[in-house]
Amino acid sequence: MCIMSSVNTITALCLLAMVVCVAGHYKIAAFNIQTFGRAKMDKPDVVNIIKQIVLRYDIILIQEIRDSSGNSLKVLNNTLNTQEHFSYTLSPRLGRSSNYKEQYAYFYRTDRVNLVATHLYDDNTPADVFEREPYCTLFEIPEPAPWKLALVGLHSKPDDAVEEIGYLNVVDAEVEAEFNTTNILFLGDLNAACNYASAAELSHTEIFTNSDYSVLISRSKDTTTKSSTCAYDRIIAKGSRLKSAIVSAGVFDFKSAYSLTQQETVVVSDHFPVEITLSSSL
């Protein structure tokens, strides 16, 4: 695969993203990088695309990490730090099967936000609801005056998506108690669409119906890079301070943004990132 013709476009967009940050906004995203590991990170062109995507954001949740050695994340972090100041926090390896496990990672700009705490949801109950327990972080947003924002990352098991989504209000209560904040973003590949979660099924879940929560990525969006049209990936907000800061939310179509072919796109992932922009000028 050769995508060098796209490098100039990517670089220009990366510079634009950094200008947006300086102009007074915080950008947060969730990205399921399909089977993220050594095989993917051995492809320089793919690494370059992932790097430019991550550079768009102040905080980004990466899902479906499969490299048990952790080397792929170190390579990505080192690559990011050739241009900017990034660090990351990594969850334990999660999953019921001994043969298949995933991890979550939050990459963040250390000169823009402060990581305060992390918390893995305690799913040690007979119900054992989650295949991969939500990995939660608490960040301090410094401007205009410091405030705290919690992020709850989830990659649901497709066949159990409705049940897992239906339990997020319980996770919410634990996160509020753990982090002492009501400003919470739920984000990730919830598999909240198409055959895995119908509109009727989601209408029975607290997080999709209670007015305390705002669903920022609607069912009409397409978060997939292949032929399906499904809003698997979602961002849901709770908390008055957070909601008052929301400028926009949407799907980042890196295929169009970077003028990639379909083949070049799917080698990166079968998902697009979902993103939210927050104002820092309140």
Side-chain angles (χ1 to χ4, degrees):
M1 183 183 71
C2 180
I3 56 176
M4 294 307 293
S5 61
S6 300
V7 170
N8 289 338
T9 300
I10 294 168
T11 302
L13 288 164
C14 175
L15 291 172
L16 176 60
M18 287 187 278
V19 169
V20 169
C21 286
V22 174
H25 293 87
Y26 292 94
K27 294 182 73 69
I28 300 171
F31 189 18
N32 181 334
I33 305 180
Q34 183 184 21
T35 318
F36 181 87
R38 286 170 289 182
K40 189 154 291 188
M41 295 301 287
D42 283 342
K43 299 179 174 70
D45 293 337
V46 173
V47 173
N48 191 49
I49 296 291
I50 293 172
K51 173 187 174 182
Q52 304 311 331
I53 291 171
V54 174
L55 284 173
R56 287 175 51 83
Y57 303 107
D58 295 296
I59 306 169
I60 181 170
L61 166 67
I62 294 177
Q63 304 145 84
E64 209 168 302
I65 298 165
R66 297 280 288 120
D67 180 7
S68 60
S69 73
N71 289 335
S72 300
L73 291 171
K74 293 176 184 176
V75 169
L76 177 56
N77 194 55
N78 290 340
T79 302
L80 293 167
N81 278 283
T82 62
Q83 287 185 230
E84 297 294 320
H85 302 287
F86 272 85
S87 187
Y88 66 94
T89 180
L90 180 64
S91 77
R93 299 182 70 221
L94 301 169
R96 298 185 184 104
S97 170
S98 60
N99 298 321
Y100 185 93
K101 292 187 182 294
E102 296 180 9
Q103 289 173 284
Y104 303 99
Y106 290 88
F107 279 78
Y108 60 97
R109 290 179 179 268
T110 56
D111 57 342
R112 293 272 295 169
V113 298
N114 303 314
L115 177 64
V116 177
T118 65
H119 176 69
L120 184 68
Y121 174 70
D122 183 4
D123 197 20
N124 188 24
T125 66
D128 188 22
V129 175
F130 295 101
E131 174 75 19
R132 295 168 284 268
E133 293 87 345
Y135 185 48
C136 313
T137 51
L138 181 66
F139 284 92
E140 180 184 69
I141 309 297
E143 298 176 1
W147 61 286
K148 300 296 198 303
L149 172 63
L151 285 76
V152 176
L154 173 65
H155 179 202
S156 75
K157 181 179 179 181
D159 291 341
D160 295 337
V162 174
E163 181 182 6
E164 293 191 15
I165 292 167
Y167 216 75
L168 283 175
N169 61 302
V170 179
V171 178
D172 177 5
E174 181 170 298
V175 170
E176 285 191 24
E178 181 73 21
F179 289 158
N180 191 29
T181 183
T182 58
N183 296 305
I184 303 174
L185 271 183
F186 302 84
L187 69 172
D189 177 8
L190 305 186
N191 284 298
C194 293
N195 293 334
Y196 300 134
S198 69
E201 289 172 317
L202 292 177
S203 71
H204 296 290
T205 65
E206 189 83 5
I207 200 166
F208 273 88
T209 57
N210 190 311
S211 60
D212 287 345
Y213 303 96
S214 296
V215 179
L216 304 178
I217 306 297
S218 70
R219 192 175 184 84
S220 64
K221 301 295 184 181
D222 182 14
T223 70
T224 68
T225 64
K226 296 186 178 180
S227 58
S228 59
T229 303
C230 299
Y232 289 135
D233 306 81
R234 301 297 188 103
I235 300 177
I236 300 168
K238 182 184 180 186
S240 58
R241 178 64 181 82
L242 168 59
K243 290 182 181 182
S244 67
I246 295 170
V247 175
S248 63
V251 181
F252 177 55
D253 181 349
F254 61 84
K255 177 184 178 182
S256 298
Y258 301 154
S259 301
L260 304 179
T261 66
Q262 178 64 13
Q263 181 181 359
E264 291 165 349
T265 301
V266 298
V267 171
V268 176
S269 183
D270 56 351
H271 290 253
F272 289 124
V274 288
E275 62 183 28
I276 180 174
T277 302
L278 303 179
S279 174
S280 64
S281 60
L282 295 180

